[in-house]
């Protein structure tokens, strides 16, 4: 799979994947939206052949530079999990360019609890020693996949990662705090969560509460890999949402 998928023509949609997977995460959305839009789905730093970076801000720099190289100055940005953090960072720093923001199963800050952060940091360090192939052998439900398609994809994608990149991207996500951007956002914003993954709901709802007129939607029957678990629902909701402000 290419490190940048670029298909179709029309208004630009930028899809950003989560940690440990790749841009093929968005296959159901690429197929659906490339008929009416120009769909761009890059691999984030630390995935595919793209070198890892130290922070979500640097991931946003990477994506923005690729868009600028293409002369793209107006686009909607849609991100899942880590990709939602990058999407928020892009919308916060380049608000004049972003028409719509969508986060799926994402948060602006993982945790402020010092004990939880200490434990999470230790777990991230351990990831630097664990083979991704071993991780991919774990039950898919532990990785947030509720359906067969999501499970097959997630396991295959995770097996392609390497130890150091896994640790780097998770460390960047753990360190990120995008809450400062939230009150400033004036664009249509959609926050989506998987109904079967309540662990993200409260922190995702905090994004929705902080952004004026943001929509908050639960994706039925879906876990963390919500766009793969329930692609028809996600696609229909995205189509409706993207008509706002257009």
């Amino acid at each position: 799979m290419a490190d940048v998928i670029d298909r179709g023509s029309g208004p630009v949609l930028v899809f950003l994947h989560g940690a440990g997977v790749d841009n093929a995460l968005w296959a159901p959305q690429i197929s659906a939206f490339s008929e009416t839009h120009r769909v761009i789905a890059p691999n984030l730093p630390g995935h595919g052949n793209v070198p890892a970076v130290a922070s979500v801000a640097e991931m946003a720099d990477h994506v923005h530079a690729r868009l600028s190289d293409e002369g793209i100055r107006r686009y909607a940005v849609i991100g899942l999990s880590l990709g939602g953090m990058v999407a928020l960072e892009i919308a916060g720093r380049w608000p004049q360019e972003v028409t719509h923001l969508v986060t799926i199963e994402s948060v602006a800050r993982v945790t402020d609890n010092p004990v939880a952060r200490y434990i999470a940091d230790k777990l991230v360090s351990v990831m630097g020693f664990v083979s991704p192939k071993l991780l991919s052998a774990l039950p898919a439900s532990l990785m947030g996949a509720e359906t067969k398609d999501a499970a097959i994809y997630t396991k295959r994608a995770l097996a392609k990662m390497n130890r150091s990149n896994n640790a780097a991207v998770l460390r960047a996500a753990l360190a990120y705090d995008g809450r400062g951007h939230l009150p400033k956002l004036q664009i249509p914003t959609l926050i989506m969560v998987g109904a079967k993954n309540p662990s993200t709901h409260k922190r995702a709802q905090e994004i929705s509460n902080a952004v004026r007129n943001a929509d908050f939607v639960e994706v039925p029957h879906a876990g963390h890999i919500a766009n793969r678990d329930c692609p028809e629902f996600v696609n229909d909701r995205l189509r409706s949402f993207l008509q706002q402000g257009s």
Side-chain angles (χ1 to χ4, degrees), residues 79-89 91-92 101-110 176-193 199-217 241:
L80 183 140
S81 194
L82 170 66
M85 293 179 168
V86 180
L88 171 59
E89 184 70 10
L101 169 65
V102 181
T103 71
I104 304 174
E105 278 290 299
S106 190
V107 299
R109 176 70 162 169
V110 173
Y176 183 63
D177 188 349
R179 291 173 295 182
H181 294 309
L182 301 179
K184 304 172 187 177
L185 293 178
Q186 301 294 320
I187 56 176
T189 300
L190 173 62
I191 311 302
M192 305 178 82
V193 294
S199 63
T200 63
H201 291 191
K202 181 179 179 180
R203 287 169 294 154
Q205 184 73 64
E206 289 172 355
I207 301 177
S208 180
N209 292 343
V211 178
R212 184 178 180 182
N213 298 323
D215 294 333
F216 185 87
V217 174
F241 172 70

Side-chain angles (χ1 to χ4, degrees), residues 47-197:
H47 302 81
N49 297 308
V50 185
V53 295
S55 68
V56 168
E58 289 175 89
M59 294 182 189
D61 289 337
H62 172 84
V63 174
H64 187 258
R66 301 291 79 73
L67 296 173
S68 295
D69 288 346
E70 291 289 323
I72 296 170
R73 296 291 187 268
R74 293 287 285 172
Y75 48 90
V77 62
I78 302 107
L80 183 140
S81 194
L82 170 66
M85 293 179 168
V86 180
L88 171 59
E89 184 70 10
I90 291 171
R93 290 169 57 192
W94 296 282
Q96 73 282 3
E97 298 184 6
V98 179
T99 63
H100 301 75
L101 169 65
V102 181
T103 71
I104 304 174
E105 278 290 299
S106 190
V107 299
R109 176 70 162 169
V110 173
T111 182
D112 280 324
N113 184 299
V115 175
R117 287 189 62 78
Y118 175 82
I119 294 171
D121 185 65
K122 294 302 180 184
L123 289 173
V124 167
S125 296
V126 169
M127 292 294 290
F129 300 95
V130 178
S131 166
K133 290 186 178 180
L134 178 61
L135 293 174
S136 69
L138 296 173
S141 59
L142 294 179
M143 294 173 274
E146 294 290 336
T147 61
K148 183 177 180 180
D149 174 73
I152 291 172
Y153 164 73
T154 303
K155 284 175 170 285
R156 287 177 177 172
L158 185 57
K160 297 176 185 177
M161 290 288 288
N162 63 58
R163 295 179 180 89
S164 62
N165 281 354
N166 266 342
V169 298
L170 291 175
R171 190 169 288 111
L174 181 61
Y176 183 63
D177 188 349
R179 291 173 295 182
H181 294 309
L182 301 179
K184 304 172 187 177
L185 293 178
Q186 301 294 320
I187 56 176
T189 300
L190 173 62
I191 311 302
M192 305 178 82
V193 294
K196 290 191 173 184
N197 189 36

Side-chain angles (χ1 to χ4, degrees), residues 10-33:
V12 177
L13 305 181
V14 180
F15 287 93
L16 305 175
H17 63 80
V21 290
D22 59 20
N23 53 5
L25 170 76
W26 298 106
Q29 287 67 48
I30 293 166
S31 175
F33 286 95

